[in-house]
Every structure is written in C-alpha cells, then in structure tokens.
Amino acid sequence: MSKTSKMAIWAWLLVVLYYFYQYALRSAPSVMIPQLSEAFGLNALGVASIVGLFYYGYSPFSLITGVSLDRLGLRKVIPLGAVAVGLGAILFVTGNQTLAGIGRLLQGAGGAVPLVGAVYIVSKYFPAAKSATLIGATQMFGMAGGFAGQFAVAPVIGSGFPWQQFWIIMGIAGIFLGIILWVFLPKETTDEMPEKSLKSTLDAFKFVITNPQSLLCGFIAALIFIPTTIFDMVWGVRFIQDGYGFDYGEAVLRASAVPFGWIIGCPLLGYLSDRIGRRKPVIIGGTAVLFVCLVGALYGRVGVLPPYSIALLIGIASGAGMIPYTVIKESNPPRLSGTATGVANFINFTFSAMMGQVFGWLLLTVSHGSGKLMITDYRMTFGPLLFGLVVAIIMTLFLQETGHSCTKHRS
C-alpha cells in the first residue's frame, strides 16, 4: 500500500468519525426534552424550535463547505467545522435561549462539513470503482451516530447524569477532534487547488447547479429519504402508537429499526452498485422495494410479517438515496467534487425540510386539529409519499449512467 493510499484511508476514517460525532449531537436533544424545557423555561414546542435551528445552519453551509473544499482544501475547512460543533455544544449548555440558539446554529454549520468532506476525499484519493461503497459506508457512520445519540445517550440521561455535563464533554471532544483533524489531514499543495477568485468560485457553482444531472440527483435523493427522515424520524413513533396501538417503548423500538436499516443498507447498496458497475438499477431497485414496504407500513396489518421486518427493510432500501451522491460527483468534473456534493446535500435537505412543514400542516388539516390521530389521518397525509417514490424512479430513468462498467464501454 502506497503512502498516499494510507494517508487517504486515515483521512477518510477521521472525517467519518467526525460525521458520527456530529450526528450523535444532532439527535441527542430528542432524549432530553424535559431537562431542556426546565432549563430554558420553555414548553416542548419551544425547545423543538431551538433544537431545529441546527438545520438553518446545516443547509446553507452544505453549499459553502463544498465550494470551500474545492478552493481551500481539507485542512483549512474540516477542522474548523469540528471546532464549530464543539463550541456550539458548549454554548448550548448556558441555559440562555439566545446563546443556545447560536450554539445550535454553529452545530448545524459544522455538521454540514463531514459528509461533504468525506465525499471529497473519496473523489480525490480513491478509485472510482469504490466510490459508491465508500460513500455508503460514510453514511453508515452517520446513521450509527444518530442511533447512538438516542439509544446510548437516553439511558445515561435517564440514570440522572446531568445533561449540562454531557454537552460540555461533547463540546470539548469536538474542539479536540478539530485539532486532531488539523494535524493529521493531508495538506494539499498550491498546484493541486484551482483558482481561488470569486469569479472562478461562482463559475464552479453555476456549472454544477445548471447541470441537469445535478438537479436530478438532489431531488432523487430527497424523494427517497423523505419517507424515512420525515415519516419515520418525526412521526414514526406516534404513527405506530396511534395507528397500531403499541405502547411507547415498543413503538420506539419499531421506529428505530429504520435507522438501523440505514446502517446496513447504505454500504450494502453502495457495494452492490460498485460490484455491477452501474448506478441506476440499484437506485430503481432500492426505491421499488421502499415503495412496497411503505405500502405495507401504511396499509398492512400487524402480525402478517415478523416484527421489525418492514421497518428494517424500509431503512435498508432507503440506502439507495446515497447513490445519487456518487452520481452527482461523477457527473461533474473531479475538481468540483466538493461543490457537487454540497449542491446535492443542499437540495436534499432544503426540499426535505420544506416538505416536512407541508406534511405537518396536512396532518393537522386532515385530523381537524384533533389531538387523537387515527390511522386514516396518517394514510391520507403520508400516502402521497408513494407518488414521490414513483417520481424518483421516473427521474432516475433520465439520469446518465455513470457506473464504471458503462464508462468503460463508452470509452
């Protein structure tokens, strides 16, 4: 193994460790809502508003991170992101609503860095034939962090460990991680970096955003992830309770099978895509399986299939949503891989966030504001997700195949 290969592997591992860390902090507040409500003097909705500021930092900085990586390189961008997350965690402890909000924004801004950075490393230092596998594995680390942020942190906080100490420890860890990243990430030479003028930066962004393949990739990823990021992660527990009559503990376990499925599906489908050398069949196949499983979740009956199987399959199949991240960087010049990934992340998250508001409003409307939701309310609200998956499949048909088997054939 060459020196460059070892350096690339260590760089990728450090960045995916950062991704695990920030995803854990992203999800951790969900298990300490009562403690945060007391500290901030707010109800659960008020706390959710502060916690949700994470995404207002995350969305724009997906774009900024991508362009910055292409222009400045790894060492000048990624360590700063980790330090920002760490400082944001410390500000979150203050109990002051304004400072906590700023802290959460910082966590979001820094949280946008590792996924884009990991894809940048994969694009620049690893063979194209392994890119989907490595990008899927990157998302696996993120999902594992999100899983840990709930199911590892919950018993710790539940045992009486002060939530303030948790955030201080994690804040210090983020700053320390930033130092490690700065020391060990490769320093790219000046001749490796493109021109840094404002005009060249805007031209790069314009090139990516006006490429129809880029837009298709962003929207396909969003349509595949929405059933999990909105339906499961936001409404899944309550849907299982209201719709199928399970108690809270069992509902949490069943809903959590979805992110656990992500941990399996993201690297598995990425490996499959690299193995066959094609992207589109795996996207279409994964989306089709997700469609069938979502029909089962919304309209099926309990007891027909083994417990957790539908939720687990939904998570595995939705791993196909990471493959467009491979396609977008293969559909644009290698020197713009960071910008391309940032654009995909921005479209994916922004569209998902907007649709989250739409589905919340729709659920409130069909239930006439009732506190007791019926399974028919959920079916009327989330049934259109099935249409979105059909649209994702149709969009995929218009993608240009970028898998290595096709590119070799064309050459």
Side-chain angles (χ1 to χ4, degrees):
M1 183 180 293
S2 68
K3 183 178 179 181
T4 301
S5 299
K6 290 181 179 178
M7 178 261 319
I9 292 171
W10 278 108
W12 179 76
L13 287 173
L14 284 171
V15 175
V16 296
L17 175 64
Y18 170 17
Y19 194 33
F20 176 97
Y21 162 78
Q22 73 84 18
Y23 230 114
L25 288 191
R26 187 192 307 194
S27 63
S30 64
V31 301
M32 55 183 77
I33 294 297
Q35 293 87 346
L36 297 177
S37 295
E38 182 179 354
F40 296 134
L42 297 170
N43 59 22
L45 184 60
V47 172
S49 296
I50 293 177
V51 170
L53 290 173
F54 179 98
Y55 299 103
Y56 288 90
Y58 185 93
S59 184
F61 271 86
S62 293
L63 291 177
I64 295 170
T65 297
V67 173
S68 299
L69 282 169
D70 286 336
R71 293 293 176 270
L72 303 175
L74 295 168
R75 289 186 75 195
K76 293 181 180 179
V77 177
I78 294 180
L80 288 176
V83 171
V85 177
L87 291 175
I90 293 172
L91 285 175
F92 198 66
V93 176
T94 61
N96 180 283
Q97 296 178 25
T98 301
L99 291 178
I102 293 172
R104 199 61 179 164
L105 282 169
L106 280 173
Q107 292 173 44
V113 174
L115 175 60
V116 181
V119 176
Y120 177 90
I121 292 170
V122 169
S123 301
K124 187 164 186 175
Y125 295 107
F126 289 91
K130 296 182 179 179
S131 59
T133 303
L134 287 168
I135 291 173
T138 299
Q139 188 66 10
M140 175 191 71
F141 276 89
M143 294 301 101
F147 190 83
Q150 292 179 318
F151 292 93
V153 175
V156 172
I157 299 300
S159 68
F161 188 82
W163 69 271
Q164 296 95 332
Q165 289 187 27
F166 167 81
W167 286 95
I168 290 173
I169 291 170
M170 296 301 284
I172 294 172
I175 295 171
F176 183 65
L177 179 59
I179 295 171
I180 292 175
L181 287 163
W182 185 81
V183 172
F184 289 101
L185 285 179
K187 183 177 181 180
E188 292 152 297
T189 58
T190 304
D191 59 350
E192 290 182 284
M193 308 308 298
E195 185 185 351
K196 299 178 182 178
S197 69
L198 177 61
K199 182 179 184 301
S200 67
T201 300
L202 294 176
D203 287 345
F205 177 72
K206 180 181 177 181
F207 184 94
V208 174
I209 202 70
T210 56
N211 181 352
Q213 297 296 303
S214 300
L215 299 178
L216 284 171
C217 287
F219 283 111
I220 290 168
L223 289 168
I224 294 173
F225 276 131
I226 281 174
T228 54
T229 56
I230 294 177
F231 182 37
D232 177 73
M233 297 295 286
V234 178
W235 296 101
V237 173
R238 190 166 177 185
F239 164 70
I240 294 169
Q241 286 182 281
D242 294 341
Y244 292 104
F246 288 102
D247 62 28
Y248 175 76
E250 180 64 17
V252 169
L253 289 174
R254 287 176 179 261
S256 68
V258 172
F260 189 77
W262 285 342
I263 296 172
I264 300 170
C266 289
L268 176 64
L269 296 184
Y271 172 78
L272 178 61
S273 177
D274 282 338
R275 182 72 176 175
I276 67 174
R278 294 176 178 271
R279 311 305 185 201
K280 292 170 63 172
V282 182
I283 298 174
I284 293 171
T287 307
V289 172
L290 179 58
F291 179 94
V292 173
C293 292
L294 190 60
V295 170
L298 283 170
Y299 303 102
R301 292 183 299 152
V302 175
V304 176
L305 294 173
Y308 314 113
S309 57
I310 287 289
L312 186 65
L313 284 171
I314 285 174
I316 293 173
S318 67
M322 283 307 297
I323 297 176
Y325 282 78
T326 302
V327 178
I328 194 173
K329 67 97 177 172
E330 292 172 339
S331 299
N332 289 283
R335 63 185 175 82
L336 301 180
S337 59
T339 303
T341 306
V343 167
N345 220 25
F346 175 79
I347 294 173
N348 182 358
F349 171 76
T350 303
F351 183 67
S352 299
M354 291 171 57
M355 293 308 298
Q357 298 296 319
V358 171
F359 282 114
W361 170 82
L362 187 57
L363 186 60
L364 185 67
T365 300
V366 299
S367 65
H368 305 290
S370 172
K372 177 64 176 177
L373 297 172
M374 309 296 292
I375 194 168
T376 52
D377 298 327
Y378 289 102
R379 287 170 175 169
M380 290 179 65
T381 299
F382 295 106
L385 291 174
L386 298 169
F387 174 75
L389 294 176
V390 173
V391 172
I393 291 174
I394 294 172
M395 284 184 170
T396 304
L397 297 176
F398 291 93
L399 276 181
Q400 179 181 356
E401 180 60 75
T402 59
H404 58 84
S405 67
C406 290
T407 53
K408 285 180 181 179
H409 180 72
R410 286 197 299 266
S411 63

